[in-house]
């Protein structure tokens, strides 16, 4: 994936050795200038409690090369 934009919100501590569960949901998809983008919401859970929230936008399909 090409990273286009990410926004993170730390809401709890994470420590070495913690067992982390990650859940992600696509919340948007669109095309711009021939590229296909997706926006994801992900949450990192530490013991079932949210530790980090992430909103991530990425190009998941690059437009074909012209030439």
């Amino acid at each position: 994936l090409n990273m286009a934009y990410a926004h993170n919100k730390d809401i709890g501590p994470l420590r070495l050795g913690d067992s982390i569960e990650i859940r992600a949901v696509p919340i948007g998809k669109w095309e711009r200038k021939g590229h296909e983008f997706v926006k994801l919401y992900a949450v990192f859970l530490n013991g079932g409690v949210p530790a980090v929230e992430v909103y991530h936008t990425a190009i998941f399909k690059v437009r074909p090369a012209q030439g």
Side-chain angles (χ1 to χ4, degrees):
L1 293 176
N2 280 332
M3 187 180 122
Y5 175 77
H7 175 75
N8 303 333
K9 179 181 177 186
D10 296 330
I11 52 179
L14 293 174
R15 291 178 177 57
L16 187 62
D18 286 349
S19 180
I20 305 301
E21 177 182 352
I22 302 171
R23 295 183 186 176
V25 177
I27 57 174
K29 181 182 169 192
W30 66 95
E31 182 182 333
R32 182 172 176 219
K33 297 182 180 179
H35 300 303
E36 293 187 44
F37 289 80
V38 65
K39 184 167 188 166
L40 301 172
Y41 166 77
V43 62
F44 291 60
L45 302 170
N46 184 0
V49 177
V52 178
E53 291 182 317
V54 178
Y55 290 90
H56 181 74
T57 302
I59 298 171
F60 72 91
K61 187 174 182 183
V62 178
R63 74 173 170 252
Q66 298 179 9

